[in-house]
Amino acid sequence: MSGNTTLPTLGDLAWVPALEHPELLAEPVLAALTAWAGADPRVVGQVAVTEIDPEHADTATLNELHGLPPEASANCVLVAGKRAEEERIAACVVPASTFADVNKRVRKLLDVRKASFLPTERAVADSGMEYGGITPVGLPEDYRVLVDSRFTQDGTMALMGSGVRRSKLLMPGPLLCALPGAEVIEELGVSR
């Protein structure tokens, strides 16, 4: 295996290798992680999963309850817009201390007149993931995956959904930026 293979950990949660615990992952997430691990061996040793109480899946609640640093949380929102009747959808992954600038930055990146959050029912149906657990790993291939450039910094972590509300994924930020199809974007997230 190349690179660091130390499993990341945060807070007081019990982290285990994600690929060894498929029961904690939504099917599309497991399929994407498996394929990604075939191309990038870091995935096996650097993508962790932990089981959580789904009632505490909200970022702020989870961080407070388990002593997790807020700067490690990566929020993933799905945004859609149309151009000449062509729908364009993107997953925007930003640090939880920021929010995706949907009306300006994301709209311009999608090259659409108006961008808005994908309706919950549609996001769940299209992704095969649960609301509150949607993650950039395993989304439909026609979705763009936009990742805030802050995750490229050495030492950053990305704590995010696993496709289900009862667990969370954790990986180094630079590995998230290497997710197949990911586009690293400067200033995707703006300060709250």
Side-chain angles (χ1 to χ4, degrees), residues 11 31 33 39 48 54 64 78 89 93 102 107 145 150 160 165 174 189:
L33 279 176
E64 183 179 335
L78 302 181
I89 301 175
V93 186
V102 173
R107 180 182 60 76
V145 176
R150 282 166 258 215
M160 65 191 107
R165 285 185 60 86

Side-chain angles (χ1 to χ4, degrees), residues 18 23 31 40 58 66 68 80 84 87 92 105 111 125 143 146 148 159 183:
E23 74 282 2
D40 188 339
D58 173 70
H66 294 287
L68 304 170
E87 184 175 51
C92 301
R105 189 84 171 111
D111 191 24
Y143 283 23
L146 310 175
D148 190 286
L159 172 65
E183 301 172 49

Side-chain angles (χ1 to χ4, degrees), residues 14 40 61 79 82 84 93 105 113-114 118 133 138 148 150 179:
D40 188 339
T61 304
V79 178
K82 283 189 178 181
V93 186
R105 189 84 171 111
R113 194 164 158 242
K114 180 184 175 193
L118 199 63
D148 190 286
R150 282 166 258 215
L179 176 71

Side-chain angles (χ1 to χ4, degrees), residues 147-165:
V147 179
D148 190 286
S149 64
R150 282 166 258 215
F151 290 108
T152 63
Q153 299 172 12
D154 285 338
T156 60
M157 296 302 266
L159 172 65
M160 65 191 107
S162 63
V164 295
R165 285 185 60 86

Side-chain angles (χ1 to χ4, degrees), residues 59-60 63 69-76 93-99 151 159 190 192:
T59 300
N63 288 350
E71 62 275 8
S73 294
N75 286 342
C76 178
V93 186
V94 298
S97 58
T98 69
F99 65 92
F151 290 108
L159 172 65
V190 294
R192 294 188 179 271

Side-chain angles (χ1 to χ4, degrees), residues 4-29:
N4 181 4
T5 59
T6 303
L7 192 68
T9 61
L10 277 179
D12 65 4
L13 293 164
W15 296 96
V16 293
L19 286 171
E20 292 178 16
H21 293 274
E23 74 282 2
L24 295 177
L25 306 170
E27 285 185 32
V29 176

